[in-house]
Amino acid sequence: MSTQQKPVIALTLGDPAGIGAELIARLLARPEATQRANIVLVGDEWLWREGQRVAGVQVATQPVDRIEAVRGRPDTGAPAWLGVDTIEPGQVHVGQAEAAGGASVLRVLNACMDAARDGHVDAICFAPLNKYAMKLGGLGHDDELHHFAKYLGVTGYFCEFNTLGDLWTSRVSSHIPLKDAAAALSIDCIKDATRLIYRSLQANGIAEPRVAVAAFNPHGGDGGTCGREEVDIIAPAVRQLNEEGLPVQGPFPADTIFLKAQAGEFQAIVTMYHDQGQIAIKLLGFSRGVTVQGGLPIPITTPAHGTAYDIAGQGRANLDATWQAFLIACRMGLSHRASRTQAG
C-alpha cells in the first residue's frame, strides 16, 4: 500500500509526566506501524527524545512543517514528525498530574483535531492523558470526549466505546454518580447507544455486527419484581431497534451477558452505566483494552489504561493496548477516508 493509499493517522505523546512518550516510541519502532498507515507524530521534540531514551529505541522520522504536507509525501518508511513547543522540560515532574502537562495535552489534541476537521488527517490515536491534569490545564468539560465533541461541533449522540480484541462495549450513561444511573435511562438513549456501536463496528470492518443489550437490575429485573427498567424501557427499546432492522438482542442479565460474549455469541454489548461494562472488560484484559470515542465526525482512539504515573520513566510500559488502539484507528481511518471520498 502506497503512502497515498494509507490512512493518515495523527499520533500524540500524551501526558508528559506519564508513559505516553515511551509507548509511542515502542509503537513506531515496529516496522508494521508505517506499513499500515501514513503516520504524523505531533509533540514536543525534547519529550519525543526522552520517550525514545526510556524505551531504549531510536526511530527515524521525516520532519514536516505542517500537517497538510503529510498526505502527499513520498513513502520513506518513516513516520512524519511535526514538532510543537507546548511545555519545557523543567515544567514536568514525572509521575505527577500538573496544569502545565494538561495544557500541553490540550494544545496538541486541538491541533490534531483542526487537521482532521480540515481533511488532512483520517484518524487520531492519542497516548494516555490525565483528566485531572487537563482540568488543571484548562479543560472545561467532564472528560476529553465532551471536549472533542464540543470542539468538533457535535450536536448528536456520542459516547465512549471500550474494546477488548473483538469485543466492544458502549454505555447509556457514563461519568455520573451511580445513584443517577436509573434516571439516565430512556428508550431513545438506549437506541442511540445501540445504533452508534452497530455503525461503528461496521466502520471497523464487521458487516453484520452481533450486538446484545444488557439489563439494568439484578436478574434482569425478574419480570418486574426486582425493578421495572427492563419491562418499561430496555425491552421496548430493543423491540423498536428490531423493527428498524437492527438484529440486536436483549436485555440479558448483566452478570451473565459477558459470558455469552466471551463464548463468541456477541461482538458488542450495550451496557446501562459505566462500571457495568468497565469491570468486565478490564478484568478480561486490562493491558489490552482500548477506548474509542464514538459519535464524533472523525475516529479517535486511545489505550484504556491511563498514564501509569507509578511506572513512568522506568521503561516498563506495556505496548499491547496502544498497539490495538493504533490498529483500530487505522481500520476506522481507512473507512472514514473512503466515506469522505464518496461524499465529496
Side-chain angles (χ1 to χ4, degrees), residues 223-240:
T225 62
C226 192
R228 291 199 55 85
E229 284 78 9
E230 289 74 17
V231 176
D232 297 335
I233 302 172
I234 306 175
V238 172
R239 285 196 299 271
Q240 291 179 28

Side-chain angles (χ1 to χ4, degrees), residues 11-18 20-21 24 42 47 101 104-105 108 126-130 307:
L11 291 180
T12 79
L13 299 171
D15 188 304
I24 298 302
V42 184
L47 182 59
S104 168
V105 167
V108 173
F126 65 89
L129 48 76
N130 182 278
T307 51

Side-chain angles (χ1 to χ4, degrees), residues 1-8 36 38 71 122 334 337:
M1 188 185 298
S2 69
T3 300
Q4 284 70 31
Q5 294 174 309
K6 297 174 184 176
V8 177
R36 291 176 178 271
N38 183 2
R71 195 180 296 280
D122 299 318
L334 199 59
R337 178 180 176 179

Side-chain angles (χ1 to χ4, degrees), residues 303-328:
H305 54 58
T307 51
Y309 283 151
D310 56 323
I311 62 168
Q314 299 177 29
R316 296 167 48 198
N318 186 315
L319 181 62
D320 289 351
T322 303
W323 179 250
Q324 293 303 318
F326 171 73
L327 294 180
I328 292 173

Side-chain angles (χ1 to χ4, degrees), residues 169-240:
T169 65
S170 66
R171 48 187 182 255
V172 175
S173 67
S174 188
H175 299 122
I176 64 172
L178 185 58
K179 66 182 179 61
D180 299 331
L185 296 181
S186 72
I187 290 175
D188 286 342
C189 285
I190 293 168
K191 289 166 65 177
D192 285 340
T194 307
R195 291 191 197 105
L196 183 56
I197 200 167
Y198 193 91
R199 292 196 304 267
S200 297
L201 280 168
Q202 289 180 318
N204 194 47
I206 301 171
E208 297 181 357
R210 300 189 303 276
V211 179
V213 178
F216 179 76
N217 294 294
H219 302 171
D222 271 343
T225 62
C226 192
R228 291 199 55 85
E229 284 78 9
E230 289 74 17
V231 176
D232 297 335
I233 302 172
I234 306 175
V238 172
R239 285 196 299 271
Q240 291 179 28

Side-chain angles (χ1 to χ4, degrees), residues 81-287:
W81 160 252
L82 179 65
V84 295
D85 296 320
T86 69
I87 191 168
E88 298 294 329
Q91 295 177 283
V92 177
H93 302 89
V94 175
Q96 296 184 32
E98 297 177 296
S104 168
V105 167
L106 282 169
R107 284 186 59 188
V108 173
L109 285 173
N110 290 350
C112 292
M113 285 193 290
D114 286 340
R117 187 169 51 193
D118 293 339
H120 304 307
V121 165
D122 299 318
I124 299 168
C125 179
F126 65 89
L129 48 76
N130 182 278
K131 290 179 179 61
Y132 177 61
M134 291 174 69
K135 289 179 180 179
L136 292 176
L139 177 67
H141 303 277
D142 290 339
D143 52 36
E144 66 275 17
L145 174 59
H146 284 77
H147 173 70
F148 296 152
K150 177 70 173 179
Y151 198 93
L152 295 169
V154 175
T155 57
Y157 182 81
F158 58 89
C159 74
E160 282 186 352
F161 303 138
N162 290 98
T163 80
L164 182 67
D166 295 330
L167 175 61
W168 288 44
T169 65
S170 66
R171 48 187 182 255
V172 175
S173 67
S174 188
H175 299 122
I176 64 172
L178 185 58
K179 66 182 179 61
D180 299 331
L185 296 181
S186 72
I187 290 175
D188 286 342
C189 285
I190 293 168
K191 289 166 65 177
D192 285 340
T194 307
R195 291 191 197 105
L196 183 56
I197 200 167
Y198 193 91
R199 292 196 304 267
S200 297
L201 280 168
Q202 289 180 318
N204 194 47
I206 301 171
E208 297 181 357
R210 300 189 303 276
V211 179
V213 178
F216 179 76
N217 294 294
H219 302 171
D222 271 343
T225 62
C226 192
R228 291 199 55 85
E229 284 78 9
E230 289 74 17
V231 176
D232 297 335
I233 302 172
I234 306 175
V238 172
R239 285 196 299 271
Q240 291 179 28
L241 287 164
N242 291 162
E243 291 167 2
E244 292 177 13
L246 268 65
V248 301
Q249 299 181 49
F252 296 103
D255 59 356
T256 58
I257 193 170
F258 280 90
L259 297 175
K260 295 177 181 293
Q262 193 176 29
E265 292 185 40
F266 302 110
Q267 295 157 309
I269 296 173
V270 179
T271 63
M272 297 298 110
Y273 57 91
H274 184 280
D275 283 6
Q276 191 178 56
Q278 284 290 80
I279 291 172
I281 284 286
K282 291 186 176 182
L283 184 62
L284 288 170
F286 179 75
S287 66

